[in-house]
Amino acid sequence: MRRLSIALLSGLTLLCMLIAGLCLAILRTATNAQLYSAGFAACADTQAMNVPASQYDAIAQALSRYFAGKADTPQAQILKGGALASAFNEKELQHLSDVRRLFQSLRALGLILMIAVSALMLTACALAWRSRLTARTLARTVLLGWAGAMVLIGAVALLAAVAFNSLFVLLHRLLFSNELWLMDPQTDLIILLMPESFFVLLSAQLGWLMLRFFWPLGLILAALLYLSFKPMKSGEPT
């Protein structure tokens, strides 16, 4: 019974760790001005609003500082048609405010989950110690949970690759209580800066960050499992 409890605790710990890692990866992506600039350069087409590519860095800096909580507004003064003007209109500012509130919620959720991970790990270790489980058993149990997390990441990545637009729309409808995210390329600069291809690039970066976060954990667990391996004796618990 204790071994089952440890397995369940390990699975719950990895699930919390996965969600916390996702929150942190999203926040890191959302506050990366260089990533915004590169994405704009690769995907944006702002000629319809007479905004030259030379203004992308200023917009990227304004967005990253705003989402990081270092600025009170995402507004930037840029050149439009050769004249100095505000980058975003009121509708865009309202939507960006909604996005920042979402990021603030993710930051709080990530912190809560990391505290939960610490508590769950301590509980699992205490149960393992009382049950006299071997390091091999612990490593094997957690390694299986890690493999499940990797499969989940892969499944989400595959879904995003096959039906990115549908998933993108669904997430917006779930996360926002209004339709300010529905932009007009004739009047809203943000849709010209961030077409679907831009979010594909950001999603790829997000997936890479998640892999960087979880692969070292898997290698550590695999090493622990290998080092703890020894010939089994008859009747030895596994």
Side-chain angles (χ1 to χ4, degrees):
M1 185 64 181
R2 285 180 178 174
R3 186 173 299 180
L4 177 61
S5 298
I6 293 170
L8 291 174
L9 282 172
S10 298
L12 184 58
T13 300
L14 285 165
L15 179 60
C16 290
M17 193 178 294
L18 175 64
I19 299 174
L22 179 60
C23 291
L24 295 175
I26 290 173
L27 291 171
R28 184 171 178 179
T29 301
T31 56
N32 190 330
Q34 292 182 341
L35 185 60
Y36 281 127
S37 295
F40 295 160
C43 307
D45 182 5
T46 57
Q47 292 183 359
M49 296 189 70
N50 295 316
V51 176
S54 60
Q55 303 302 295
Y56 292 168
D57 286 347
I59 298 172
Q61 288 289 340
L63 288 173
S64 64
R65 286 179 56 80
Y66 180 64
F67 291 145
K70 297 178 181 179
D72 295 330
T73 176
Q75 191 64 276
Q77 296 299 310
I78 62 171
L79 293 176
K80 284 186 178 181
L84 196 63
S86 296
F88 304 116
N89 59 38
E90 188 58 34
K91 175 186 175 183
E92 292 171 297
L93 292 176
Q94 291 178 22
H95 177 59
L96 291 172
S97 177
D98 290 340
V99 173
R100 185 165 85 155
R101 280 194 291 271
L102 176 62
F103 289 154
Q104 289 172 337
S105 298
L106 289 178
R107 186 176 289 107
L109 177 61
L111 178 60
I112 291 171
L113 287 174
M114 291 308 296
I115 295 173
V117 164
S118 300
L120 288 168
M121 288 180 65
L122 288 174
T123 303
C125 288
L127 280 174
W129 181 77
R130 291 183 62 184
S131 302
R132 302 180 184 277
L133 296 184
T134 63
R136 187 199 314 179
T137 301
L138 285 174
R140 185 168 56 193
T141 300
V142 181
L143 188 59
L144 287 173
W146 172 86
M150 296 304 297
V151 170
L152 180 60
I153 293 174
V156 173
L158 180 61
L159 177 62
V162 172
F164 184 85
N165 183 264
S166 298
L167 184 61
F168 182 80
V169 172
L170 176 62
L171 286 175
H172 275 71
R173 293 195 182 281
L174 291 174
L175 295 174
F176 300 107
S177 60
N178 53 54
E179 295 189 343
L180 292 172
W181 56 273
L182 294 172
M183 299 290 176
D184 184 349
Q186 300 300 318
T187 58
D188 302 322
L189 177 63
I190 197 170
I191 191 63
L192 299 178
L193 288 167
M194 302 179 183
E196 182 177 316
S197 56
F198 174 86
F199 288 100
V200 170
L201 284 178
L202 256 61
S203 298
Q205 174 68 15
L206 184 61
W208 170 240
L209 287 175
M210 290 295 291
L211 286 176
R212 286 178 58 189
F213 179 78
F214 273 93
W215 270 113
L217 175 62
L219 293 176
I220 291 171
L221 291 172
L224 179 60
L225 186 60
Y226 173 78
L227 292 174
S228 65
F229 186 84
K230 60 182 179 180
M232 294 289 293
K233 296 180 180 179
S234 177
E236 182 180 351
T238 60

